[in-house]
Amino acid sequence: MDNASRREALESARLEYGRSVDEGMSVAEAARRFSDAIDRRVVERIRCSLQDTCGIDFENAAAAIAVFAVGGYGRRELAPYSDIDLLIVSDRRISEAEVKWIKALVRDLWDDGMSLSQSVCTRAELRRRFQTEVETATSALDARLLFDGGSGPESLQAVVAAASKSKRFTERLRAGLSAEQEKFGARVNLLEPDVKRSAGGLRNLQLARWIGAVRHGCGSIEELGKAGILREDRVECLLAARELLMRLRVELHLHARKTSDMLLRCEQLRIAKKWGYTDAAGILGVERFMRMYFQHVSQAREIVERFADQQNQTPWRRTANRLVSGLQLESGIRLMARRLEVNDAWLNLAEQSDEALAHLAKLAAWHGVDLDERLLDRLDRGDNSGGGAATAPSKTLGRVLLQILEQPGWIARTLRTLHRRRGLARILPEFERIRCLMQFNAYHKYTVDEHTLTMLEYAEGLIHEKGLLGESYRRIGRKDLLHLAILLHDVGKGLPGDHSEEGEKIALEVADRLMLDDEERSTVATLVKMHLELSRLAFQRDASDHRLCMRLARDIGSEELLRKLFVLTCVDLMAVGPGNFTSWRAELLASVYLRCRSMFGVNADGSDDDRLERKRLAERLGGGEIAEGFAGALSLKCLRSTDFSKLRNAFQTWTATNGWPAVISACHHPETGTSTYLVLTHEGCTEGAFHKICGALAAHRLEVLSARIRSFDDGLVMDQFEVQDVHHGGEPTVERIEKIGGTIRRVLSGELTVSDVLWSGRSSSFGPKRSFLTAGNSQIAVDNESSDDCTVIDVFTANRRGLLYTVARGIFRLGLSVRFATIATYEESVMDTFYVVEADGLKATRPDRIRMIRDHLSSDLDKLASDPRSMGF
Amino acid sequence: MKKIEAVIRHHKLEDAKTALSNIGIRGITATEVRGFGRQKGHTETYRGMEYNVDFLPKIKLEVVVADSMAAAAIEALIKATRTGEIGDGKIFVSELAEVVRIRTGETGEGAI
């Protein structure tokens, strides 16, 4: 037979293989038959090439050489275009004649159309390689003798068995597999998996076989079952997964007419159609097909991992685990070294009650251990409908879910374990919607549920992360709400509308069902709705535009929520796939976050140089708490542009006179055309000093662009206002400062009222002509999470004269005291942040009080918009 | 044939893509890069907090066009990405010796 005919014959054998599978033969059987056909060809070529090779002493050569089929070929699990792996072993150093023969054999097999992968070595070399190369050892575990010249080479398995006696052999096997999976996708739910090498692929099944062979001398998964080492139902799962993966491989190879193990999107569509997966209501045929695929591989992966874990335990550890009674957490629940162990009563309860299941999950997450194996088995077998309470409102379930999500460390692992067994669906049924949901875009690497759980994993990992992102995550007060928002951020995917908006609706339903309070409800829903906004602003908009940053800050409402959004956005990008969160993106996102954050008046302390400068100033002022507070409270601009003598005079007068009367100094900033007025006073002088000063400044047509307020413990108050003087351009004259200072002092002392000074001035032709504020376009956010000591009121509104005075007076009338405030004016938009406390020095936390603050301030702003004179303007 | 490389503001990518598509240009390669031109780094101040920005985030576009399309492509890019401020970026145009479409082996303008 010539080479062309041989290649044709091999091609026919491949097609026959595919046909047999299509006609219903099991792939395992079809693969065996195909391997036998290959065997016949290879053995024939070995014999022919030996005899044809000139000058070789056939008897001698054959006596020293053995040829093994290794790898998939050795296991008789060949796919149509798999490599044919041969191991040629010689008892002694290979002679020139033998090299000639091997070359002839390799050439002949290639000519036959086989893709050959051969390894030639002496028995001594082989022994050494077994010790050091996991790949060689595993391929030898699958070795099958094809040709033995007669020397009776000691069984390869025996050599491997000797090598694999090493305690670390199984660990090395797993490490080798992990390294390979890192390359091809360490997660099961890859949108485009490699059926052989991705997690849960054929390699995983081979791992079970190898461990079985090394530890128990079992040559196959079936044998592991027969020997009682692996439970029957698990063996069935593994065999079903193997059948599916091998069948897919046959499909992929025959369609590509070459080695092809990637289940690419186009192949998924083709195979789903061929295998009869049709579109159904709300789900495409290809999605149903891939769900089936993921179900099989994730089960298989978990079975193999658990099996490998068990096998890896040394006998003394197993004994120790049995002897250690663990820590009793509750009646019937014990905390063991790596697991939570529950009694039968709890097992039954967890099967029937969703709250009980959630409670056990909470304990597992809190203590960083896995759930009881028996419980997992029951979940595996059960229909997981639970008590059916998941769709009914349950405050208990809501609280327990938030507790599960509270402490970073073991959350993603616990939820992933539950999700695999549909246990999570009993606590959060909305998550089931996105199970194995495909994402048809060029960016995502994982299904929606895997992407979400990966995000959660990354978020938890930030607890030890250095830098802005880690610091932001650590500072988040209610991490449970962030984690819940992560779980829900993509649940709207696959629905007809915008997935952020659909997700918000679902998040609100979840919040109602779990009976979350108003603040929790709005936090989660806002994060879900806005989860793309920060990245949109960073990557697709001109984030140097203050108005865009302010709009985002206004929409998000509070610094704390912005921080949560920043973390959510970053982990969302990370979990798209490896390498997606580049430093380019990270830096851009961080800079936009910082800009938006600064809108809330949250300023960093500045650089180390700035801190040093402040420290020096405090020392020059004589040191002490007040001096440090004074130096620390000055804005950077004021710190840099004011003469030390001026600052010293202001400070000395302030402290010497105990803030009475108010001390005023001003400095001009020519580069911005603005001036900073420093007002030092004492709380005891008057009540509501801040709003009165605002009124006095407004009366002199000073438009406040930003303000910083600092109250010290002994009642000293320091207010700084960066203003635009619409009456006087350039540096304010001494007379102007004196005049303004005089008004402030008289207003503070009660000699004049703000109304008096406001009406004393004539309407200025230099005053702002336009008024942007209209009733109803303001937003007041009250936030108790951003600060430990104060309630934070954020006011987003349009600019107009007297605005700051109105808000400050409103806050004063509400009986709140301003501890710190920042005011920011950007053309027509204003964003003011006030850190306030109640008269008793505590935060305003009662829901009715928060509503009251919001309503009063909104009503004041509406009045200012519609009837300024009613507000004194 | 000409190869046009444009370093533009990152948020102008969509505008640039639309502008090039509108004149019939389909193949665009975009890379996230960092740039340091006349804009250099700058110090931005937001309410007392200063950010020192060294290399600025930019997008580099690469487009290959027939000689006859080069002027239109450059004009479209300028129109779409210009703000008039320092930092709008630059366009570099170079002669291209050959283009090969890997799938079909076509060469020259037919492969663009």
Side-chain angles (χ1 to χ4, degrees):
Chain A
M1 203 189 271
D2 62 8
N3 287 342
S5 313
R6 282 173 172 276
R7 273 200 294 274
E8 263 176 44
L10 180 60
E11 199 58 21
S12 303
R14 286 170 175 148
L15 294 175
E16 176 57 31
Y17 183 3
R19 253 194 310 278
S20 310
V21 173
D22 284 344
E23 286 166 8
M25 183 187 285
S26 84
V27 195
E29 178 55 31
R32 266 193 293 276
R33 291 187 184 190
F34 181 64
S35 295
D36 289 346
I38 298 288
D39 278 1
R40 286 191 291 276
R41 286 175 169 75
V42 173
V43 171
E44 186 198 338
R45 278 301 198 184
I46 292 171
R47 291 192 175 279
C48 292
S49 54
L50 266 173
Q51 279 163 357
D52 293 351
T53 311
C54 303
I56 285 196
D57 177 348
F58 178 84
E59 289 298 320
N60 230 347
I65 286 178
V67 181
F68 293 90
V70 291
Y73 180 33
R75 292 190 300 273
R76 286 198 172 93
E77 286 178 359
L78 280 179
Y81 289 89
S82 291
D83 283 359
I84 306 298
D85 297 332
L86 292 181
L87 176 63
I88 303 169
V89 185
S90 169
D91 279 349
R92 51 176 163 70
R93 192 167 176 275
I94 294 169
S95 67
E96 263 183 46
E98 283 156 1
V99 169
K100 209 170 170 187
W101 163 65
I102 291 165
K103 278 184 178 170
L105 173 66
V106 170
R107 181 202 59 210
D108 289 348
L109 291 172
W110 274 102
D111 286 348
D112 286 354
M114 294 181 203
S115 174
L116 200 67
S117 174
Q118 77 282 359
S119 177
V120 184
C121 60
T122 64
R123 198 173 298 279
E125 280 168 353
L126 196 59
R127 267 197 210 100
R128 187 182 47 77
R129 283 172 62 187
F130 282 156
Q131 302 286 350
T132 54
E133 297 169 17
V134 176
E135 223 169 277
T136 310
T138 53
S139 68
L141 277 168
D142 300 321
R144 195 160 49 80
L145 187 64
L146 289 176
F147 173 82
D148 176 10
S151 71
E154 61 177 290
S155 150
L156 264 194
Q157 273 84 356
V159 179
V160 178
S164 59
K165 284 240 165 16
S166 145
K167 281 179 194 163
R168 299 178 63 84
F169 186 75
T170 46
E171 279 172 39
R172 281 170 55 207
L173 281 180
R174 290 183 82 177
L177 184 69
S178 300
E180 188 177 67
Q181 287 179 352
E182 278 301 323
K183 262 191 275 171
F184 290 89
R187 291 168 200 282
V188 170
N189 292 18
L190 285 172
L191 291 171
E192 294 190 325
D194 183 306
V195 295
K196 184 178 172 186
R197 300 180 187 87
S198 290
L202 283 162
R203 275 269 191 273
N204 256 96
L205 303 175
Q206 287 152 20
L207 178 70
R209 188 181 170 279
W210 292 331
I211 293 176
V214 171
R215 290 282 160 116
H216 307 284
C218 294
S220 67
I221 290 169
E222 290 91 330
E223 281 179 38
L224 281 171
K226 280 179 197 149
I229 297 159
L230 202 56
R231 251 176 30 201
E232 209 50 51
D233 57 329
R234 292 184 182 167
V235 169
E236 273 170 32
C237 273
L238 293 185
L239 293 179
R242 188 180 68 184
E243 183 72 14
L244 169 71
L245 291 166
M246 285 177 65
R247 194 174 165 207
L248 277 172
R249 217 167 161 225
V250 172
E251 273 292 343
L252 293 170
H253 278 213
L254 287 176
H255 189 249
R257 298 182 83 86
K258 61 179 183 181
T259 307
S260 169
D261 297 330
M262 288 292 290
L263 189 52
L264 299 175
R265 199 151 288 144
C266 52
E267 285 295 76
Q268 295 167 15
L269 288 163
R270 183 183 68 79
I271 297 171
K273 197 172 169 191
K274 182 178 172 187
W275 289 9
Y277 285 86
T278 49
D279 297 351
I283 183 163
L284 298 172
V286 65
E287 290 178 311
R288 289 177 51 221
F289 162 70
M290 287 307 287
R291 277 189 183 182
M292 176 276 297
Y293 170 85
F294 292 131
Q295 182 72 25
H296 276 287
V297 293
S298 61
Q299 261 185 356
R301 188 195 193 193
E302 183 153 330
I303 291 171
V304 173
E305 298 248 303
R306 280 164 78 177
F307 174 64
D309 275 345
Q310 283 165 1
Q311 299 302 314
N312 228 13
Q313 276 189 16
T314 49
W316 70 265
R317 185 182 277 277
R318 275 200 290 272
T319 314
N321 280 350
R322 268 201 306 275
L323 293 175
V324 172
S325 59
L327 179 72
Q328 173 122 8
L329 293 177
E330 286 173 30
S331 169
I333 306 176
R334 300 194 81 82
L335 176 66
M336 309 302 283
R338 298 168 71 175
R339 286 199 179 276
L340 203 65
E341 229 174 65
V342 296
N343 64 11
D344 289 345
W346 267 105
L347 281 182
N348 294 333
L349 195 61
E351 242 179 345
Q352 288 154 13
S353 148
D354 303 328
E355 277 97 346
L357 178 66
H359 179 69
L360 294 178
K362 174 190 83 179
L363 291 177
W366 277 9
H367 294 285
V369 292
D370 291 332
L371 284 159
D372 192 314
E373 289 256 1
R374 294 190 306 154
L375 175 64
L376 298 184
D377 284 343
R378 285 212 189 182
L379 290 175
D380 269 335
R381 285 195 289 262
D383 62 359
N384 286 330
S385 56
T391 48
S394 166
K395 189 158 190 169
T396 317
L397 198 59
R399 289 299 110 190
V400 181
L401 175 61
L402 290 181
Q403 285 168 346
I404 295 175
L405 300 171
E406 209 172 67
Q407 292 178 15
W410 216 257
I411 303 171
R413 187 174 166 123
T414 307
L415 295 187
R416 205 186 280 278
T417 308
L418 284 179
H419 180 55
R420 271 186 207 147
R421 295 164 177 82
R422 297 179 193 271
L424 184 55
R426 285 175 47 191
I427 303 168
L428 194 62
E430 293 75 8
F431 197 74
E432 195 57 22
R433 265 211 69 252
I434 52 169
R435 172 181 293 280
C436 302
L437 187 65
M438 305 294 286
Q439 314 196 56
F440 296 98
N441 64 51
Y443 304 104
H444 277 276
K445 293 276 184 288
Y446 313 124
T447 56
V448 182
D449 54 343
E450 181 59 41
H451 161 72
T452 305
L453 291 167
T454 304
M455 267 175 84
L456 202 50
E457 207 174 287
Y458 285 142
E460 289 184 88
L462 294 177
I463 199 84
H464 303 299
E465 182 95 359
K466 285 183 184 158
L468 178 68
L469 187 54
E471 186 197 317
S472 303
Y473 181 71
R474 280 189 293 279
R475 283 191 61 189
I476 290 172
R478 290 285 306 270
K479 293 189 181 63
D480 52 345
L481 298 179
L482 168 69
H483 297 150
L484 182 57
I486 289 176
L487 278 180
L488 295 174
H489 84 288
D490 270 351
V491 287
K493 278 197 172 166
L495 291 171
D498 175 283
H499 86 271
S500 304
E501 286 171 15
E502 295 295 334
E504 185 200 15
K505 284 184 212 156
I506 298 173
L508 289 171
E509 284 165 21
V510 171
D512 289 341
R513 188 168 48 74
L514 300 177
M515 299 168 92
L516 305 187
D517 70 30
D518 286 353
E519 208 172 320
E520 293 169 338
R521 186 176 188 271
S522 109
T523 298
V524 175
T526 308
L527 284 172
V528 172
K529 183 184 165 195
M530 297 190 64
H531 76 267
L532 294 174
E533 295 304 319
L534 193 62
S535 56
R536 197 169 282 155
L537 175 60
F539 304 130
Q540 293 167 11
R541 302 278 184 275
D542 180 6
S544 62
D545 185 341
H546 286 151
R547 282 168 304 186
L548 295 180
C549 291
M550 183 176 281
R551 200 176 301 156
L552 180 78
R554 184 195 62 206
D555 293 345
I556 198 82
S558 79
E559 186 221 338
E560 174 67 14
L561 206 51
L562 180 69
R563 187 180 295 125
K564 288 189 174 100
L565 181 68
F566 171 58
V567 172
L568 189 148
T569 307
C570 291
V571 291
D572 196 6
L573 284 174
M574 286 177 195
V576 163
N580 188 59
F581 193 60
T582 57
S583 61
W584 188 90
R585 291 181 183 178
E587 284 166 24
L588 202 52
L589 210 50
S591 75
V592 173
Y593 162 63
L594 290 173
R595 281 176 200 184
C596 293
R597 197 178 72 163
S598 71
M599 300 288 165
F600 291 101
V602 180
N603 296 324
D605 295 341
S607 63
D608 288 344
D609 287 347
D610 297 333
R611 277 192 286 274
L612 201 65
E613 210 173 318
R614 288 179 196 282
K615 205 175 159 192
R616 270 197 219 119
L617 174 65
E619 280 165 11
R620 291 175 77 188
L621 291 172
E625 199 187 339
I626 297 286
E628 277 170 22
F630 176 82
L634 286 172
S635 71
L636 282 176
K637 207 179 255 182
C638 191
L639 187 73
R640 285 175 187 158
S641 56
T642 315
D643 287 344
F644 171 69
S645 56
K646 262 190 184 178
L647 286 177
R648 187 184 50 201
N649 286 344
F651 178 73
Q652 284 174 347
T653 320
W654 181 42
T655 45
T657 58
N658 206 13
W660 180 259
V663 181
I664 289 111
S665 76
C667 64
H668 185 63
H669 316 294
E671 73 281 6
T672 52
T674 57
S675 304
T676 299
Y677 279 78
L678 186 63
V679 181
L680 302 166
T681 182
H682 193 277
E683 271 176 6
C685 301
T686 178
E687 284 187 323
F690 178 59
H691 84 268
K692 289 178 181 168
I693 301 171
C694 292
L697 293 174
H700 283 278
R701 301 283 188 263
L702 295 177
E703 202 177 325
V704 179
L705 301 177
S706 69
R708 288 166 67 88
I709 302 164
R710 177 78 196 266
S711 308
F712 297 92
D713 284 344
D714 56 1
L716 288 172
V717 175
M718 180 175 143
D719 295 354
Q720 285 173 89
F721 298 87
E722 191 185 343
V723 299
Q724 185 107 48
D725 194 336
V726 287
H727 252 334
H728 291 263
E731 189 166 1
T733 57
V734 179
E735 294 76 30
R736 175 88 175 138
I737 297 171
E738 232 353 277
K739 201 171 171 191
I740 293 167
T743 308
I744 291 173
R745 282 191 202 98
R746 290 171 72 193
V747 169
L748 287 179
S749 66
E751 209 177 303
L752 284 174
T753 65
V754 174
S755 308
D756 293 338
V757 294
L758 280 169
W759 289 113
S760 69
R762 280 171 305 183
S763 174
S764 167
S765 58
F766 298 102
K769 293 278 188 296
R770 285 185 301 161
S771 170
F772 302 97
L773 183 63
T774 53
N777 73 346
S778 307
Q779 185 184 320
I780 314 284
V782 181
D783 155 34
N784 272 311
E785 276 196 62
S786 299
S787 162
D788 291 337
D789 311 314
C790 301
T791 295
V792 182
I793 303 176
D794 290 306
V795 180
F796 305 87
T797 187
N799 195 12
R800 76 153 296 137
R801 188 180 161 222
L803 177 74
L804 183 58
Y805 166 67
T806 303
V807 180
R809 190 181 64 167
I811 289 172
F812 168 66
R813 285 184 173 176
L814 280 160
L816 297 164
S817 156
V818 179
R819 281 283 168 87
F820 177 77
T822 53
I823 275 69
T825 310
Y826 299 104
E827 296 172 12
E828 74 272 31
S829 307
V830 167
M831 184 172 153
D832 298 347
T833 304
F834 301 89
Y835 284 66
V836 300
V837 287
E838 296 279 14
D840 56 8
L842 299 174
K843 284 190 195 181
T845 50
R846 283 198 337 268
D848 57 333
R849 177 67 168 155
I850 291 172
R851 252 195 308 279
M852 185 185 185
I853 294 171
R854 219 183 277 140
D855 294 347
H856 273 241
L857 293 180
S858 294
S859 133
D860 280 357
L861 288 174
D862 286 350
K863 272 190 219 155
L864 178 66
S866 52
D867 182 14
R869 282 177 177 270
S870 70
M871 307 303 293
F873 286 90
Chain B
M1 290 171 295
K2 296 272 191 294
K3 180 175 169 187
I4 301 173
E5 290 168 280
V7 178
I8 60 170
R9 292 180 193 274
H10 72 275
H11 54 89
K12 287 288 181 185
L13 174 61
E14 278 303 311
D15 294 345
K17 195 179 90 183
T18 312
L20 292 172
S21 293
N22 287 345
I23 58 165
I25 292 171
R26 296 281 174 264
I28 305 167
T29 308
T31 323
E32 294 166 350
V33 294
R34 289 187 179 86
F36 193 99
R38 269 180 65 199
Q39 190 182 6
K40 295 180 180 165
H42 60 258
T43 305
E44 298 177 7
T45 310
Y46 296 96
R47 313 187 61 211
M49 183 173 183
E50 290 188 355
Y51 306 90
N52 290 314
V53 183
D54 292 333
F55 281 88
L56 300 168
K58 298 280 176 190
I59 289 283
K60 187 168 105 175
L61 290 180
E62 285 166 279
V63 189
V64 171
V65 294
D67 288 338
S68 57
M69 285 293 290
I74 293 165
E75 198 190 325
L77 272 174
I78 293 174
K79 217 169 167 183
T81 60
R82 188 164 181 222
T83 67
E85 300 292 323
I86 289 178
D88 275 350
K90 279 200 175 58
I91 297 175
F92 308 95
V93 184
S94 50
E95 277 296 333
L96 202 68
E98 188 58 289
V99 176
V100 183
R101 191 190 298 276
I102 294 172
R103 180 170 57 84
T104 58
E106 289 166 89
T107 56
E109 290 192 1
I112 296 175

